[in-house]
Amino acid sequence: MHLTLVVMAAGKSSRFGSPKQTTPVDKDGNFIIDYSIYDAIKAGFTKVVFVIQKASLTLFQESIGKRLEGKIEVCYAFQSLEDIPSSFAVSKREKPWGTVQALLCAKPYIQEPFVVINADDFYGRNAFLEAAKFLKSVDKPYTYANISYRYGVTKSLHGSVKRGVLKLDGDRIESIQECQIETVNGKNIATPLLGEESFVISDDDPVSMNFFAFQEDVFDLLEEYFKNFFLQEESVVLEGEVMLPECLQENIENKKITILNKPGNSLWLGMTYKEDLHIVKTNIRVLKDTEGFYNNHLWEDACGKSRD
């Protein structure tokens, strides 16, 4: 079975201060994306689709694109303000329309089950192995998986973070609630982005980090949700974003889909703030130098094989 990896890399990284997607995290200039794709190849993925802004194409082609030549099929999809199912005046809008649109941009390049991830998150190889295992075994339509992590693994020491707080019924996800989470007096306070009352979560509670394993039928749901977004009042559309977790949550509530929770059981690393970069670099160096989990020069083996 062919498997595709979709990498969402069109964000503006406002809190980080510069494009996180193309920030080097090792001495060879590799990005976090390099490590995700390396692990995906080890898990059996054969294609990667980068969802980027068109202005970033040359940068991607000349950096990570060249590093991937001969290792995995590479496609580029462009997220633009104009690509919407509406005559809405895009001149009044500056930021992209959100992760639902980003994923829809990749649709023309996908003819098989796929995984979608953030470009600026390091998920660990076991996450990709778990996702591949799920996609090769799932036999029911509209059934997907989320690779989750303990909240404590995903904290930033330098400020609040956005996470999808999960409510589970066994291994099935009952809800994904997008929250801004900050630590106050030793407690993790989760404030829902849609305005509900804040609540406390523990470091052990599972959260979604936008690592989803999908079958192709998800695109029908995404297209309907994206179209409905533009039926709202102009002021709502101008300020809002069409977010993947919110789309999935609506379809969970309507009992149209089933999402299974699959713990990542891997190291997770991310860069919400500039100060997080040092932690990422240090951990990757340990994975290389101490644990030997990756080649010292990541892509030196043309087959993408590590020392394990």
Side-chain angles (χ1 to χ4, degrees):
M1 174 186 286
H2 292 289
L3 299 174
T4 289
L5 174 66
V6 178
V7 181
M8 294 191 288
K12 293 191 174 183
S13 309
S14 55
R15 284 184 291 180
F16 190 74
S18 61
K20 292 185 286 185
Q21 306 93 323
T22 52
T23 295
V25 296
D26 64 20
K27 61 184 179 182
D28 292 332
N30 292 307
F31 315 141
I32 280 183
I33 314 172
D34 285 271
Y35 288 88
S36 292
I37 297 170
Y38 188 97
D39 285 336
I41 291 172
K42 295 290 289 183
F45 288 75
T46 57
K47 183 196 300 181
V48 58
V49 181
F50 293 108
V51 181
I52 61 175
Q53 297 181 39
K54 195 167 187 178
S56 302
L57 177 60
T58 300
L59 172 60
F60 272 78
Q61 289 177 322
E62 295 299 315
S63 55
I64 189 170
K66 284 190 174 181
R67 296 195 284 267
L68 296 178
E69 290 178 359
K71 301 174 180 67
I72 189 171
E73 181 183 352
V74 178
C75 303
Y76 299 94
F78 305 122
Q79 185 174 12
S80 68
L81 288 175
E82 295 77 17
D83 189 12
I84 57 176
S86 168
S87 58
F88 186 80
V90 297
S91 60
K92 299 179 181 180
R93 175 91 178 190
E94 293 184 2
K95 59 184 178 180
W97 295 104
T99 46
V100 167
Q101 186 202 28
L103 194 46
L104 286 173
C105 292
K107 181 184 176 182
Y109 305 95
I110 298 173
Q111 296 83 39
E112 58 279 310
F114 66 98
V115 156
V116 59
I117 63 169
N118 293 333
D120 50 7
D121 288 348
F122 177 100
Y123 295 97
R125 184 166 309 159
N126 189 70
F128 292 93
L129 291 169
E130 191 66 38
K133 179 181 177 182
F134 166 78
L135 290 174
K136 291 176 180 178
S137 64
V138 63
D139 58 1
K140 295 181 180 179
Y142 298 106
T143 301
Y144 316 126
N146 172 249
I147 307 299
S148 68
Y149 294 80
R150 294 173 48 251
Y151 171 67
V153 173
T154 75
K155 276 184 177 181
S156 171
L157 300 176
H158 306 290
S160 64
V161 293
K162 291 180 182 179
R163 301 288 184 257
V165 179
L166 302 178
K167 182 179 179 182
L168 305 179
D169 179 9
D171 65 348
R172 186 174 294 198
I173 294 177
E174 285 192 335
S175 69
I176 305 172
Q177 193 169 28
E178 286 292 289
C179 296
Q180 190 83 25
I181 308 176
E182 60 180 337
T183 302
V184 179
N185 298 324
K187 294 182 178 180
N188 304 317
I189 308 298
T191 302
L193 300 185
L194 296 181
E196 294 94 334
E197 188 174 343
S198 298
F199 56 95
V200 176
I201 65 171
S202 75
D203 280 358
D204 289 328
D205 283 336
V207 295
S208 168
M209 300 305 298
N210 270 346
F211 189 130
F212 293 98
F214 289 124
Q215 300 184 76
E216 292 171 84
D217 54 16
V218 74
F219 285 116
D220 295 337
L221 306 174
L222 297 177
E223 287 172 339
E224 180 181 7
Y225 190 81
F226 193 50
K227 181 180 179 180
N228 289 340
F229 173 79
F230 290 93
L231 299 179
Q232 302 176 96
E233 293 186 6
E234 182 176 292
S235 59
V236 177
V237 175
L238 272 175
E239 297 299 322
E241 289 186 74
V242 199
M243 305 306 292
L244 180 58
E246 293 171 8
C247 172
L248 296 175
Q249 175 60 26
E250 179 178 290
N251 283 284
I252 290 173
E253 291 175 357
N254 294 337
K255 301 187 184 303
K256 290 184 177 181
I257 64 174
T258 297
I259 304 181
L260 301 179
N261 179 59
K262 302 289 184 180
N265 295 326
S266 291
L267 173 67
W268 179 92
L269 301 169
M271 299 187 296
T272 302
Y273 301 95
K274 203 78 172 181
E275 294 83 356
D276 295 324
L277 179 58
H278 174 71
I279 298 173
V280 171
K281 288 184 173 181
T282 298
N283 277 277
I284 286 178
R285 189 164 58 246
V286 169
L287 287 171
K288 284 184 172 185
D289 298 344
T290 303
E291 299 184 22
F293 204 67
Y294 299 100
N295 290 323
N296 188 38
H297 301 289
L298 185 64
W299 295 112
E300 64 184 5
D301 187 327
C303 296
K305 295 178 180 178
S306 68
R307 300 182 204 168
D308 56 7

